[in-house]
Amino acid sequence: MYLCLLLILPLYQYSSTMSFIEVAEDSDFSYQNLPYGIFSTLSNPTPRIGVAIGDWVLDVTAVKHLFSPELVEKCIDGQTTLNALMGAGRPAWTEFRNTLKKILSKDDPSLQNNAGLRASALIAANEVTMHLPAQIGDYTDFYSSRNHATNVGTMFRGKDNALQPNWLHLPVGYHGRASSVVLSGTPVRRPSGQILPSPTATTPVFGPCRLLDYELEMGFFVGPGNKFGESIKMEDAADQIFGMVLMNDWSARDIQKWEYVPLGPFNAKNFGTTISPWVVTMDALAPFRLPLEPKTDPEPLPYLVEKDSYQFDIKLFTAIQGENMTKPEVVTSSNFKYMYWSPRQQLVHHSVTGCNMRPGDLLGSGTISGTEPHEFGCLLELCWKGTKEVKLGESGEIRKFLKDGDDVIMTGYAQGMGYRVGFGKCTGKVLPAQQV
Ligand SMILES: *[C@@H]1O[C@H](CO)[C@@H](O)[C@H](O)[C@H]1NC(C)=O
């Protein structure tokens, strides 16, 4: 019993010191969080590294004299993405975060007591323009929530064949399209493509997608990566993961249904993938580790076995606001803890062939669904293939799939004692299809 308690205690102590910057209890961007992003301002349009705290963005370039010269040269000066920092590895990540913790602490005078520096280095969050945090060389998406895979499998193949025989042995995934990964706030156009006009049809028609969906996911950014021909080992996997964002893997279900056999999704997924702008580090998430439950069963092959495997307790939400609605209404409330395969297992499996992973590569979790209907992570599951109506709160509106003009708003946070480690927003509006 006591041993159990010890095992689930957080592995990291969080600092008891506070910041001199006041942060509301329900702000996503606490002093315990300090996520990194790339921003610019009207007066200085050069994209550069920023750190979110409360309603402020700290311009790292403006306080670079407080970092070590090596870190400035390698990861800060002239950087318009986080790729260099991602590639610098765990020791640099720790030094970078510790320096920020110190600069923003109420016990440190260097920024706090320098009014001029504060005025230039701390920018109101509503005055910045955010940019993609990394130059994403490659994007891969997994399918690692058992509830989601079982639900989708049941709809398409029946209860008895819901999970394919490989699913419990490897993290199933597909190579996605990095060019169409866009930042939160970017509108996404309804795609057109080949669609079967009825359930019994055997030849397709061409037209706008009728079954447009969101998928509630999280993505992680790869750190230094591995050399071509050399795989990442499980014991090194945690040091290869830089941080996480929210992700909407927009999906055209009717295009998907016709095209996916036998090589998986193609055009149904390549017209847009939206990510949130602030990258939350694994250090910030460490206090929210949970033992992986249920454990992978059957035990995977040895290369995928992680001693003391863990997940994270991150609450995740999706809301929809139609063009005639006055406020967003939540349709999915899920949690990252429902993942069956961990990000470390996904990364190890991806590179086991010697496939080289590079700094800034983005790996998606797959739709994250819980067991209860309100925890389902996409409309396909919520409307059960179009057989049920999804109520948008008390607005009087219903959906099965997304309509033109819908805003899809994803949020998520880990709840600490009196503070949050949150992700901000991942949003996108559906634009009408282009005339083709
Ligand atoms: C919003 O209202 C307008 C005007 O009544 C209507 O034409 C449009 O279809 C409505 N949009 C949705 C998504 O229901």
Side-chain angles (χ1 to χ4, degrees):
M1 172 70 188
Y2 284 100
L3 190 65
C4 279
L5 281 175
L6 280 176
L7 285 176
I8 59 170
L9 279 176
L11 297 177
Y12 288 53
Q13 289 297 316
Y14 18 95
S15 163
S16 60
T17 50
M18 300 293 293
S19 175
F20 63 88
I21 297 171
E22 268 191 49
V23 180
E25 277 204 5
D26 64 353
S27 167
D28 278 340
F29 306 132
S30 59
Y31 178 59
Q32 288 83 350
N33 189 353
L34 304 183
Y36 311 149
I38 296 294
F39 79 101
S40 63
T41 48
L42 271 182
S43 57
N44 181 358
T46 306
R48 53 202 190 272
I49 301 177
V51 177
I53 177 160
D55 298 328
W56 301 91
V57 173
L58 175 69
D59 183 342
V60 172
T61 312
V63 291
K64 67 180 184 184
H65 59 286
L66 302 172
F67 289 76
S68 74
E70 297 77 38
L71 213 48
V72 173
E73 196 200 338
K74 207 170 168 189
C75 305
I76 299 174
D77 250 354
Q79 300 298 332
T80 56
T81 65
L82 293 170
N83 291 63
L85 181 59
M86 290 169 173
R90 162 93 27 213
W93 303 346
T94 304
E95 187 190 333
F96 195 84
R97 182 169 167 85
N98 286 346
T99 308
L100 285 167
K101 280 263 177 189
K102 180 169 181 296
I103 294 172
L104 293 166
S105 152
K106 70 169 168 47
D107 303 325
D108 190 81
S110 39
L111 177 61
Q112 184 176 197
N113 296 351
N114 184 337
L117 188 58
R118 279 173 67 159
S120 62
L122 286 169
I123 301 157
N126 58 14
E127 285 174 14
V128 305
T129 300
M130 298 304 296
H131 303 268
L132 276 177
Q135 192 192 343
I136 301 166
D138 276 296
Y139 155 55
T140 300
D141 200 19
F142 288 90
Y143 187 56
S144 290
S145 151
R146 187 172 184 164
N147 299 318
H148 172 70
T150 304
N151 285 339
V152 173
T154 303
M155 280 183 249
F156 288 113
R157 290 181 297 275
K159 228 183 166 95
D160 296 336
N161 302 307
L163 285 187
Q164 299 281 6
N166 58 7
W167 201 93
L168 292 170
H169 296 277
L170 59 85
V172 169
Y174 68 96
H175 288 105
R177 186 75 199 163
S179 67
S180 54
V181 177
V182 296
L183 195 70
S184 174
T186 309
V188 171
R189 191 175 288 287
R190 179 182 298 272
S192 293
Q194 291 197 17
I195 293 162
L196 289 181
S198 76
T200 52
T202 50
T203 50
V205 296
F206 183 85
C209 165
R210 300 166 194 177
L211 310 182
L212 184 63
D213 204 353
Y214 66 82
E215 288 195 334
L216 173 59
E217 304 197 13
M218 296 193 74
F220 69 86
F221 282 103
V222 174
N226 55 310
K227 289 204 187 97
F228 177 65
E230 296 177 15
S231 47
I232 296 172
K233 305 278 175 291
M234 188 56 87
E235 60 266 29
D236 302 326
D239 287 342
Q240 288 284 358
I241 298 178
F242 178 78
M244 301 188 74
V245 290
L246 300 174
M247 202 173 103
N248 181 353
D249 179 32
W250 302 87
S251 299
R253 299 303 184 193
D254 38 8
I255 297 174
Q256 184 177 0
K257 186 157 197 256
W258 168 238
E259 76 175 3
Y260 92 105
V261 181
L263 287 187
F266 185 38
N267 282 358
K269 303 272 191 175
N270 73 6
F271 58 94
T273 305
T274 306
I275 60 169
S276 54
W278 293 105
V279 185
V280 175
T281 63
M282 303 322 284
D283 284 336
L285 291 170
F288 306 99
R289 287 182 183 188
L290 289 176
L292 197 61
E293 280 304 339
K295 290 226 180 311
T296 38
D297 178 24
E299 177 155 290
L301 290 170
Y303 78 98
L304 282 174
V305 173
E306 184 181 34
K307 264 198 278 169
D308 305 322
S309 196
Y310 55 91
Q311 276 302 3
F312 294 100
D313 184 5
I314 304 170
K315 298 177 205 304
L316 298 168
F317 306 94
T318 304
I320 295 175
Q321 181 168 7
E323 59 185 1
N324 297 330
M325 289 166 61
T326 53
K327 62 182 177 65
E329 298 289 350
V330 172
V331 283
T332 298
S333 307
S334 189
N335 193 304
F336 190 65
K337 71 182 178 188
Y338 293 128
M339 299 295 296
Y340 184 85
W341 297 102
S342 74
R344 280 103 42 216
Q345 288 170 315
Q346 292 171 336
L347 184 62
V348 164
H349 182 68
H350 199 318
S351 70
V352 72
T353 53
C355 170
N356 44 328
M357 312 300 295
R358 294 177 296 188
D361 283 358
L362 178 69
L363 273 62
S365 61
T367 307
I368 305 161
S369 295
T371 48
E372 301 299 316
H374 71 275
E375 297 175 315
F376 292 173
C378 63
L379 285 169
L380 177 68
E381 289 171 86
L382 287 168
C383 78
W384 206 259
K385 217 170 56 173
T387 60
K388 293 179 189 169
E389 290 180 334
V390 181
K391 249 181 100 181
L392 301 187
E394 300 306 313
S395 67
E397 295 214 20
I398 50 148
R399 290 290 182 279
K400 286 183 177 173
F401 292 91
L402 294 170
K403 291 189 174 176
D404 291 347
D406 280 357
D407 266 308
V408 178
I409 303 143
M410 295 178 175
T411 52
Y413 61 88
Q415 182 67 57
M417 298 271 273
Y419 71 93
R420 280 180 184 178
V421 170
F423 289 80
K425 280 185 184 167
C426 176
T427 71
K429 188 192 278 295
V430 178
L431 297 181
Q434 204 179 8
Q435 295 296 327
V436 183

Coordinates of all heavy atoms in Angstrom, one line a residue, residues 322-324 397 399 403-404 406, ligand 1:
G322 N -21.4 27.7 -34.0 CA -22.0 27.9 -35.3 C -22.1 29.4 -35.6 O -22.0 30.2 -34.7
E323 N -22.2 29.8 -36.9 CA -22.2 31.2 -37.2 C -23.4 32.0 -36.6 O -23.3 33.2 -36.5 CB -22.2 31.4 -38.8 CG -23.4 30.7 -39.5 CD -23.3 30.8 -41.0 OE1 -22.3 31.4 -41.5 OE2 -24.2 30.3 -41.6
N324 N -24.5 31.3 -36.2 CA -25.6 32.0 -35.6 C -25.7 31.8 -34.1 O -26.7 32.1 -33.5 CB -27.0 31.4 -36.3 CG -27.0 31.8 -37.8 OD1 -26.4 32.7 -38.2 ND2 -27.7 30.9 -38.5
E397 N -29.3 24.4 -31.6 CA -28.7 23.9 -32.8 C -28.3 22.5 -32.6 O -27.9 22.1 -31.5 CB -27.5 24.7 -33.2 CG -28.0 26.1 -33.6 CD -27.1 26.7 -34.8 OE1 -26.5 26.0 -35.5 OE2 -27.1 28.0 -34.9
R399 N -26.0 19.2 -34.6 CA -25.0 18.8 -35.7 C -25.0 17.3 -35.8 O -25.2 16.6 -34.8 CB -23.6 19.3 -35.3 CG -23.4 20.8 -35.4 CD -23.4 21.3 -36.8 NE -23.2 22.7 -36.8 CZ -24.1 23.7 -36.5 NH1 -25.3 23.3 -36.3 NH2 -23.8 25.0 -36.6
K403 N -20.8 22.3 -40.1 CA -21.4 23.1 -41.2 C -20.4 24.2 -41.5 O -19.5 24.6 -40.7 CB -22.6 23.8 -40.6 CG -23.8 22.8 -40.5 CD -25.1 23.5 -40.1 CE -26.2 22.6 -40.1 NZ -27.5 23.2 -39.7
D404 N -20.5 24.8 -42.7 CA -19.7 26.0 -43.1 C -20.0 27.1 -42.0 O -21.1 27.2 -41.6 CB -20.2 26.5 -44.5 CG -19.8 25.5 -45.6 OD1 -18.9 24.6 -45.3 OD2 -20.3 25.7 -46.7
D406 N -18.8 27.1 -39.0 CA -18.6 26.6 -37.6 C -17.1 26.9 -37.2 O -16.2 26.7 -38.0 CB -18.8 25.1 -37.6 CG -20.2 24.7 -37.5 OD1 -21.1 25.6 -37.5 OD2 -20.5 23.4 -37.5
Ligands
LIG1 C1 -27.6 31.2 -40.0 O1 -28.8 32.0 -40.2 C2 -28.9 32.3 -41.6 C3 -30.1 33.3 -41.7 O2 -31.2 32.8 -41.1 C4 -29.2 31.0 -42.4 O3 -29.3 31.3 -43.8 C5 -28.0 30.1 -42.2 O4 -28.3 28.9 -42.8 C6 -27.8 29.8 -40.7 N1 -26.6 29.1 -40.5 C7 -26.5 27.8 -39.9 C8 -25.2 27.2 -39.8 O5 -27.5 27.3 -39.5

